[in-house]
Amino acid sequence: MAGASLLTLLDDISVVLDDVSVMTKVAAKKTAGVLGDDLALNAQQVTGVRPARELPVVWAVAKGSAINKVILVPLALAISYFLPWLITPLLMLGGAFLCYEGFEKLVHKWLHREQEEAHRAELRQAMADPQKDLKAVEKDKIKGAIRTDFILSAEIIAITLGTVSAEPITMQLAVLVVIAVAVTVGVYGLVAAIVKLDDLGLHLTERDSSFSQTLGASILTAAPWLMKTLSVVGTAAMFLVGGGILVHGVHPLYEWIREFTAGLGSVMATIGPMLVDGLIGVLAGAVLVALISGWQRLRT
């Protein structure tokens, strides 16, 4: 009997873990857009930090990110248990914010390019001065990165919560914890690897082997393009995920888009909804940026 009970317990545990794994994979797919932006933003935050301080800065931000999630996961569970009707509005709000943030990034890139170049030149000049104390710059970057992480983590937790809202509270807790840990370890592990790519490339170019030198030169050439690619993919994913959340929140629109694209052939039935979600994300972002910018001008 004891052996049978133990086997039953182990079977139950394996079923629960399998369910958690499945739900976590679904949640991870839905949060992919935010993760891409999270990765790009945090890698960019280290720009302007001395090479020897890059990993300590990433570690400091990672610790702040872990604290953010320790706050957000219990808060999400409390909302799910006491105010479940609030999940959909929060998801819609998170989706709208993603669209706004994505379009605001495009506007900033198009209209404030000179300011960005001036800021980068100032950072390069400061780093070139050995007497310059960059501790204040470093602290500001860490605080800014942690604030950014809190917003993005809140979006990830909200999207995950929406995915598992119909599950028991224990399942919700398990999936939220797995996603929180995986996101923190995965994102900041990748950020640490990305910011040290140039050091790896430089090290390889100084070796005697011609293959190592060629590989190092290739890494040095590819590293800046990797950062740009992450930024572009992250921005595009914000529109896709944010638009998708908004469309899902308006069920008649969601059903109409699926029926309309299904009538255009098998290819459009597959990629059509995603393209429409992205287009709606861009339009929603443009409207929100226009409204918020107009409001800010009225207040000043």
Side-chain angles (χ1 to χ4, degrees):
M1 291 294 293
S5 299
L6 177 59
L7 290 174
T8 302
L9 176 61
L10 291 175
D11 182 63
D12 290 343
I13 292 173
S14 67
V15 170
V16 171
L17 291 177
D18 184 62
D19 290 344
V20 170
S21 175
V22 171
M23 296 303 297
T24 300
K25 288 178 182 177
V26 173
K29 288 180 181 179
K30 292 192 175 183
T31 59
V34 190
L35 289 176
D37 192 58
D38 198 2
L39 178 61
L41 285 175
N42 282 290
Q44 290 168 356
Q45 288 284 2
V46 186
T47 303
V49 176
R50 295 188 191 278
R53 294 295 302 160
E54 287 174 342
L55 291 182
V57 168
V58 173
W59 173 241
V61 179
K63 289 190 290 185
S65 174
I67 293 172
N68 287 342
K69 293 176 180 67
V70 168
I71 296 170
L72 289 167
V73 169
L75 182 61
L77 288 173
I79 291 173
S80 177
Y81 189 79
F82 295 106
L83 301 169
W85 55 268
L86 195 57
I87 294 176
T88 298
L90 285 175
L91 280 172
M92 295 285 284
L93 186 62
F97 181 80
L98 277 177
C99 298
Y100 165 79
E101 191 179 46
F103 200 85
E104 198 273 337
K105 283 175 63 178
L106 295 180
V107 170
H108 187 78
K109 185 175 181 63
W110 291 336
L111 302 182
H112 303 284
R113 186 171 299 176
E114 293 181 359
Q115 294 179 8
E116 286 189 2
E117 290 299 327
H119 178 65
R120 290 173 184 171
E122 182 181 351
L123 285 174
R124 286 194 293 267
Q125 184 179 0
M127 290 180 68
D129 184 0
Q131 303 300 321
K132 185 73 174 180
D133 183 10
L134 292 179
K135 286 185 178 180
V137 175
E138 183 178 306
K139 288 181 179 179
D140 287 342
K141 283 185 171 292
I142 291 172
K143 290 180 181 178
I146 292 174
R147 284 195 299 268
T148 301
D149 177 272
F150 187 89
I151 295 171
L152 294 173
S153 294
E155 293 168 356
I156 291 169
I157 295 300
I159 294 170
T160 303
L161 184 62
T163 303
V164 298
S165 59
E167 302 297 325
I169 195 70
T170 52
M171 177 68 72
Q172 294 180 27
L173 173 61
V175 173
L176 286 171
V177 169
V178 170
I179 286 290
V181 173
V183 165
T184 304
V185 174
V187 166
Y188 290 98
L190 284 173
V191 168
I194 289 170
V195 300
K196 301 309 288 184
L197 270 179
D198 51 353
D199 290 349
L200 173 62
L202 183 61
H203 173 71
L204 290 173
T205 58
E206 294 173 347
R207 300 186 67 176
D208 296 331
S209 169
S210 59
F211 174 77
S212 298
Q213 292 175 1
T214 302
L215 179 60
S218 300
I219 291 174
L220 289 174
T221 302
W225 288 101
L226 175 61
M227 290 294 297
K228 291 179 181 179
T229 301
L230 282 173
S231 180
V232 171
V233 171
T235 302
M238 292 171 78
F239 291 126
L240 292 172
V241 175
I245 292 172
L246 294 178
V247 169
H248 275 78
V250 184
H251 193 70
L253 177 62
Y254 171 82
E255 291 294 337
W256 180 82
I257 290 173
R258 268 57 190 173
E259 290 177 5
F260 178 76
T261 54
L264 299 178
S266 58
V267 175
M268 284 302 296
T270 302
I271 67 171
M274 181 179 66
L275 295 176
V276 175
D277 289 349
L279 178 60
I280 289 176
V282 172
L283 294 175
V287 170
L288 288 169
V289 167
L291 290 174
I292 293 174
S293 299
W295 174 252
Q296 289 174 342
R297 290 194 189 97
L298 290 175
R299 293 185 61 186
T300 55

